[in-house]
């Protein structure tokens, strides 16, 4: 299996890689923490702030239902946002880096 | 009653969570009589006064079996086609990396939405309202972790299994062996739970015996995996996801049509439904609260009808959100796509499908509550698992009687396809761990040609499948609900910490993998073993004792010479037998009562898993592992060197 040999630690020090790595880490872990906090607000809120969940928002539909539903839209929104950023920034940086290495 | 993954995830097993203590599962019996005897108070003991609509759920056997035959026919065609494509190990385990992002998205959704979520969640919503819906949220949010943290790096760093990811910069033999054990443990727990549920559900719907249905499902599953490998398994999952979504959309459409396509009116119908109001007021009365009328109806849309223990709920959330990303059969799906971009795309597509499905379950669940009444649903199955099926039958029959039968048969076949898809994925994950990690890489040191690897894969799949069938049959009378909790506990506390640290932490090494996997797995299994998931004979005996006392009191109140009526006499007899059987017993761990109140140990075992993994590395630092981090990290971010991974 012929495989191109890479100097991995040199690539790891490549400014392009460092840029990619910083951008990606900040984005991924930042939004991961956000989504976890947002999710755990649901069971925590339902248990400790039931009064809030009972407040009617539209007709008989209450805040609790809207909040649970919002979890879906927040998750979808985050997924689309991530796809957008990854396709635009991360993939471009990766491509530039790989092109540079293969040049 | 507190919530566990098991409760709903295993909800397809009728009566399981709600049965009287110690009652043998009666699911295999036609569920129609289920409402009758026993002290089995499901949610709120449905008072006999409630207008219980006696309903029978009987699928038209001819139509159902024809639809089953169509599904089996189509999937068998796929297997024959897939078998021709399967020449190398990469073909067998990863469909040659030739699945597109869109296909993989559908397959992930198909793999993930078990019969439990399909029947159980809408059933929970139909009986407990808001809490059922809240429960389903975690199943989608779990994919954020998969998307952001594991999907793309796994595609770039791995080949076929969890062992591949973990062994990259560690001592491969022990790491692969431990990773394989953990994979086999998780897959077996989950598989057994699915097989027992499948057996009971199919027995109920098609009217065959439990054994026949386990063998039938098992033989098909072995056939798909052994001959068609990942390609066939993937297509079974795609077909199932397509059927499931069509069914959910069609039913939701009919539900909304009945509500005049007015969402606000739909919710008004819930609040103003006298049967729902009655059902809720009986439930809350147990907590010493009195509610009536619209106030009771409104309560159906508020939390805490089902979930009584916030800590358990949060712990469950942790296990779901982190466990999904550590499930071997989910990880395995990322090796089937050619690039990290395709892996990303597939998770996003899966998230839309899964999310749409769970949003629709609210329409199905609330729709079932409105159209069938909670009392009517409980009359057929106290766990609510038949709600969706009953709804299909009724809404179809409203249009024309034969349509009711067709809709019901269609949903039965969706459930059937669902079970096949989920169990096939699990068998494949377990056999990959045994054949690829243990046989090829540990025993044969990686020296096995393609032909030998594929043969090994096929043989282990056959054996794993056969063992699955045997365990499935043996576990018929067992309460296997805790096995799903176990699978998620081990995946979140054992697998996930080591995967994350291995991908993102420079200092991670062999000692860390082994200590993390072992401690996480042992802690989660140990905690479940002493949790309320297990059966505690003394607790069962105490419950039986109460029944005996009550019945004896009743007997004493009767005029001399009079006898208890037949129902009470039977209950007394059964309670006495239960008492005798259980009074001196101890749980499997030799306990009288649970040591831990939590059904889901995640909140304790996940931090333990992480801590053990970190401490292991700090105690036994390894320079080589640290030096190799650059390679792992560059590879997983750029996909460089991946040619090797998909080489075949």
């Amino acid at each position: 299996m012929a495989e191109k040999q890479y100097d991995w630690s040199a690539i790891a020090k490549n400014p392009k890689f460092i840029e990619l790595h910083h951008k990606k880490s900040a984005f991924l872990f930042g939004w991961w923490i956000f989504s976890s906090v947002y999710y755990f607000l649901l069971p925590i809120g339902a248990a400790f702030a039931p009064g809030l969940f009972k407040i009617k928002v539209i007709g008989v539909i209450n805040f609790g239902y809207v909040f649970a539903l919002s979890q879906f839209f927040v998750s979808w929104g985050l997924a689309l946002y991530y796809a957008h950023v990854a396709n635009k920034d991360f993939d471009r940086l990766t491509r530039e880096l790989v092109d540079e290495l293969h040049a | 009653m507190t919530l566990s993954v098991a409760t709903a995830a295993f909800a397809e097993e009728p009566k399981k969570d709600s049965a009287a203590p110690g009652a043998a599962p009666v699911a295999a019996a036609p569920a129609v009589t289920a409402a009758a005897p026993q002290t089995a108070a499901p949610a709120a003991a449905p008072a006999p006064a409630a207008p219980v609509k006696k309903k029978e759920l009987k699928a038209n056997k001819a139509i159902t079996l024809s639809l089953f035959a169509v599904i089996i026919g189509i999937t068998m065609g796929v297997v024959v086609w897939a078998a021709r494509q399967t020449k190398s190990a990469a073909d067998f385990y990863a469909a040659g990396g030739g699945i597109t992002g869109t296909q993989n998205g559908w397959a992930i959704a198909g793999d993930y939405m078990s019969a439990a979520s399909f029947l159980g969640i809408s059933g929970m919503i139909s009986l407990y309202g808001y809490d059922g819906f809240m429960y389903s949220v975690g199943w989608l949010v779990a994919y954020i972790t998969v998307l952001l943290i594991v999907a793309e790096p796994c595609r770039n760093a791995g080949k076929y299994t969890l062992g591949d990811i973990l062994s990259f910069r560690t001592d491969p033999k022990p790491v692969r062996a431990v990773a394989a054990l953990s994979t086999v443990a998780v897959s077996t727990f989950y598989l057994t739970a699915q097989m027992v549920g499948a057996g009971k559900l199919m027995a109920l719907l098609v009217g065959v015996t439990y054994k026949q249905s386990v063998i039938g499902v098992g033989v098909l599953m072995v056939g798909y995996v052994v001959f068609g490998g990942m390609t066939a398994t993937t297509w079974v999952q795609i077909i199932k996801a397509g059927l499931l979504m069509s069914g959910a959309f069609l039913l939701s459409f009919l539900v909304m049509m009945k509500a005049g396509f007015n969402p606000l009116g739909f919710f008004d119908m819930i609040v103003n439904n006298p049967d729902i109001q009655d059902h809720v007021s009986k439930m809350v009365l147990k907590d010493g609260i009195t509610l009536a009328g619209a106030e009771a109806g409104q309560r159906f849309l508020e939390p805490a009808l089902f979930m009584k223990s916030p800590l358990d709920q949060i712990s469950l959330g942790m296990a779901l959100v982190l466990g999904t990303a550590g499930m071997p059969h989910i990880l395995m799906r990322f090796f089937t796509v050619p690039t990290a971009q395709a892996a990303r795309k597939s998770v996003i597509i899966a998230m839309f499908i899964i999310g749409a499905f769970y949003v629709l379950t609210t329409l199905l669940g609330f729709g079932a509550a409105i159209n069938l009444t909670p009392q009517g649903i409980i009359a057929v199955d106290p766990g609510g698992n038949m709600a969706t099926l009953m709804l299909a039958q009724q809404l179809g029959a409203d249009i024309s009687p034969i349509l009711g039968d067709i809709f019901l048969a269609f949903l039965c076949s969706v459930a059937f396809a669902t079970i096949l898809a989920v169990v096939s994925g699990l068998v494949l994950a377990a056999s990959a761990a045994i054949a690829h990690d243990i046989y090829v890489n540990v025993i044969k040191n990686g020296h096995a040609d393609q032909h030998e690897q594929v043969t090994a894969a096929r043989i282990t799949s056959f054996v794993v499948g056969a063992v699955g069938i045997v365990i499935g049959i043996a576990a018929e009378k067992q309460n296997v609900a805790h096995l799903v909790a176990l699978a998620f506990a081990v995946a979140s506390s054992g697998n996930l910490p080591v995967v994350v640290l291995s991908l993102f932490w420079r200092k991670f090494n062999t000692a860390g993998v082994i200590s993390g996997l072992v401690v996480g797995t042992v802690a989660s299994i140990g905690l479940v073993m002493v949790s309320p998931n297990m059966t505690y004979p003394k607790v069962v005996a105490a419950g039986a004792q109460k029944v005996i006392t009550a019945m004896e009191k009743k007997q004493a109140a009767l005029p001399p010479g009079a006898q208890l009526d037949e129902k009470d006499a039977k209950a007394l007899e059964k309670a006495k037998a239960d008492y005798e059987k259980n009074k001196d017993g101890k749980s499997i761990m030799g306990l009288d009562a649970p040591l831990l109140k939590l059904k889901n140990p995640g909140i304790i075992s996940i931090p333990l898993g992480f801590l053990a993994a970190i401490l292991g590395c700090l105690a036994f630092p390894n320079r080589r592992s640290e030096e190799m981090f650059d390679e792992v990290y560059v590879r997983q971010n750029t996909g460089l060197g991946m040619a090797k991974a998909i080489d075949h």
Side-chain angles (χ1 to χ4, degrees):
Chain A
M1 272 184 269
E3 194 192 341
K4 192 169 159 47
Q5 290 301 313
Y6 296 99
D7 181 351
W8 301 105
S9 58
I11 303 173
K13 290 191 191 74
N14 183 311
K16 277 226 167 74
F17 183 77
I18 293 173
E19 187 192 351
L20 173 70
H21 150 78
H22 281 313
K23 275 194 173 170
K24 243 179 148 170
S25 309
F27 185 96
L28 296 180
F29 285 97
W31 283 106
W32 183 72
I33 290 166
F34 165 82
S35 80
S36 302
V37 170
Y38 193 73
Y39 167 65
F40 283 104
L41 284 179
L42 182 67
I44 294 171
F48 300 107
L52 174 69
F53 277 45
K54 287 178 191 194
I55 297 171
K56 289 181 196 167
V57 181
I58 319 161
V60 297
I61 300 174
N62 57 24
F63 174 80
Y65 188 83
V66 175
F67 185 51
L69 201 61
S70 79
Q71 297 274 343
F72 290 84
F73 291 93
V74 167
S75 300
W76 286 331
L78 182 54
L80 288 180
Y81 177 52
Y82 171 58
H84 174 74
V85 173
N87 290 337
K88 207 181 84 196
D89 288 349
F90 302 158
D91 287 355
R92 177 180 53 82
L93 281 169
T94 311
R95 224 175 11 251
E96 284 173 15
L97 175 71
V98 172
D99 287 348
E100 187 184 307
L101 292 171
H102 287 172
Chain B
M1 195 184 332
T2 46
L3 183 63
S4 74
V5 183
T7 321
F10 214 64
E12 79 253 47
E13 239 181 301
K15 287 219 47 160
K16 184 110 302 170
D17 348 275
S18 39
V26 288
V32 202
T33 51
Q38 308 210 356
T39 43
V52 173
K53 292 180 191 162
K54 263 280 176 191
K55 274 215 154 229
E56 200 167 324
L57 189 73
K58 213 160 124 198
N60 180 315
K61 220 171 166 178
I63 303 178
T64 311
L65 290 179
S66 322
L67 282 177
F68 277 34
V70 171
I71 289 177
I72 295 172
I74 294 171
T75 48
M76 279 299 167
V78 173
V79 172
V80 171
W81 165 74
R84 287 206 202 113
Q85 323 259 316
T86 304
K87 297 191 178 69
S88 67
D91 295 331
F92 191 88
Y93 296 123
I99 304 288
T100 68
T102 309
Q103 289 166 349
N104 198 40
W106 280 89
I108 292 171
D111 209 348
Y112 191 60
M113 294 185 289
S114 63
S117 44
F118 152 49
L119 299 174
I121 299 224
S122 41
M124 256 176 84
I125 296 174
S126 74
L127 297 184
Y128 302 100
Y130 183 77
D131 276 358
F133 180 45
M134 200 167 94
Y135 182 83
S136 62
V137 172
W139 294 83
L140 174 70
V141 175
Y143 272 89
I144 294 283
T145 307
V146 178
L147 176 69
L148 297 183
I149 311 289
V150 304
E152 294 177 46
C154 281
R155 163 58 280 179
N156 282 340
K159 201 171 170 193
Y160 311 134
T161 64
L162 176 68
D164 291 337
I165 302 169
L166 299 180
S167 63
F168 203 87
R169 57 187 173 120
T170 54
D171 186 359
K173 279 197 176 184
V175 166
R176 277 189 190 275
V178 177
L181 281 179
S182 143
T183 298
V184 171
V186 173
S187 309
T188 311
F189 295 150
Y190 212 58
L191 181 66
T192 307
Q194 294 289 338
M195 289 299 275
V196 175
K200 295 203 166 134
L201 187 66
M202 285 302 124
L204 190 71
L205 295 177
V206 200
V208 291
T209 66
Y210 174 82
K211 222 184 229 172
Q212 284 168 336
S213 60
V214 169
I215 293 173
V217 168
V219 166
L220 281 169
M221 137 190 116
V222 170
Y224 294 145
V225 178
V226 169
F227 296 108
M230 183 54 105
T231 311
T233 303
T234 302
W235 281 100
V236 172
Q237 285 157 349
I238 294 173
I239 292 168
K240 164 268 171 97
L243 288 172
L244 182 59
M245 290 313 285
S246 325
F249 269 110
L250 173 75
L251 266 187
S252 307
F253 180 82
L254 293 175
V255 165
M256 285 321 281
M257 196 165 80
K258 275 204 126 176
F261 295 102
N262 173 0
L264 289 180
F266 179 70
F267 280 93
D268 279 333
M269 283 163 80
I270 303 168
V271 172
N272 295 318
N273 183 305
D275 291 313
I276 295 178
Q277 291 169 355
D278 190 48
H279 170 73
V280 172
S281 46
K282 294 224 166 68
M283 255 197 284
V284 294
L285 200 59
K286 284 214 295 195
D287 299 336
I289 303 165
T290 329
L291 285 179
E295 215 186 334
Q298 186 70 39
R299 185 71 186 78
F300 201 60
L301 301 177
E302 291 163 3
L305 282 181
F306 185 81
M307 297 166 185
K308 309 277 186 191
S309 160
L311 204 60
D312 218 354
Q313 173 57 20
I314 293 163
S315 188
L316 166 75
M318 288 177 69
L320 263 182
V321 167
L322 298 173
T324 305
M327 280 285 183
H329 67 295
I330 303 273
L331 286 176
M332 205 176 171
R333 290 233 57 90
F334 298 114
F335 308 131
T336 65
V337 288
T339 59
Q341 283 79 5
R344 178 194 309 151
K345 188 177 171 193
S346 61
V347 183
I348 292 167
I349 287 173
M351 282 179 68
F352 274 88
I353 299 169
I354 294 166
F357 174 76
Y358 283 122
V359 171
L360 292 181
T361 56
T362 61
L363 298 182
L364 302 183
F366 286 135
I370 295 170
N371 289 296
L372 305 159
T373 76
Q375 294 83 356
I377 295 166
I378 288 171
V380 169
D381 170 44
N385 304 297
M386 296 297 133
T388 315
L389 300 171
M390 291 163 68
L391 183 69
Q393 192 181 35
Q394 170 148 340
L395 293 180
D398 283 352
I399 302 169
S400 118
I402 184 76
L403 213 53
D405 281 354
I406 293 176
F407 280 178
L408 176 59
F410 176 70
L411 279 201
C412 291
S413 59
V414 172
F416 176 65
T418 292
I419 292 164
L420 290 177
V422 176
V423 293
S424 302
L426 290 166
V427 168
L428 197 58
S431 79
I434 299 171
H436 175 68
D437 282 325
I438 298 201
Y439 178 74
V440 174
N441 281 298
V442 175
I443 297 177
K444 304 285 280 184
N445 283 315
H447 303 301
D449 63 24
Q450 287 300 334
H451 178 72
E452 194 186 348
Q453 289 194 35
V454 175
T455 310
R458 290 204 155 120
I459 293 172
T460 43
S461 307
F462 180 81
V463 174
V464 168
V467 170
I469 297 174
V470 171
I471 296 179
I473 292 172
E476 178 183 358
K477 297 258 190 282
Q478 302 300 312
N479 181 346
V480 293
H482 59 276
L483 289 177
V484 178
L486 260 181
F488 274 91
V490 173
S492 59
S493 320
N495 297 355
L496 184 90
V498 295
V499 169
V500 170
L501 293 172
S502 157
L503 292 172
F504 296 98
W505 193 35
R506 181 173 296 273
K507 290 202 160 90
F508 204 54
N509 60 33
T510 309
V513 175
I514 293 175
S515 57
L517 269 178
V518 170
V519 171
T521 304
V522 170
S524 46
I525 294 179
L527 290 172
V528 170
M529 298 296 275
V530 301
S531 75
N533 291 301
M534 295 290 146
T535 305
Y536 294 90
K538 288 244 165 76
V539 178
V540 175
Q545 180 66 57
K546 264 191 200 156
V547 177
I548 296 171
T549 317
M551 289 301 156
E552 280 173 354
K553 226 184 220 166
K554 215 168 174 185
Q555 169 84 63
L558 291 172
Q563 290 293 316
L564 286 170
D565 63 22
E566 197 188 337
K567 192 181 119 194
D568 286 345
K570 263 199 186 142
L572 178 61
E573 204 176 299
K574 193 179 166 318
K576 276 186 174 158
D578 275 349
Y579 182 76
E580 279 307 312
K581 207 164 69 192
N582 290 303
K583 70 176 176 5
D584 297 319
K586 285 186 185 300
S587 81
I588 299 174
M589 302 302 287
L591 295 173
D592 289 339
L595 280 184
L596 187 75
K597 285 237 171 72
L598 288 174
K599 282 189 149 194
N600 302 285
I603 203 166
I604 304 172
S605 60
I606 295 169
L608 269 179
F610 271 103
L611 198 67
I614 292 170
L615 290 180
C617 295
L618 296 179
F620 302 95
N622 182 311
R623 270 186 67 120
R624 189 181 147 273
S625 294
E626 277 187 52
E627 281 163 10
M628 279 187 75
F629 179 71
D630 282 340
E631 176 173 352
V632 175
Y633 202 71
V634 172
R635 269 177 188 265
Q636 81 191 33
N637 274 295
T638 59
L640 284 172
M642 214 182 72
K644 194 180 169 193
I646 55 167
D647 181 48
H648 56 275

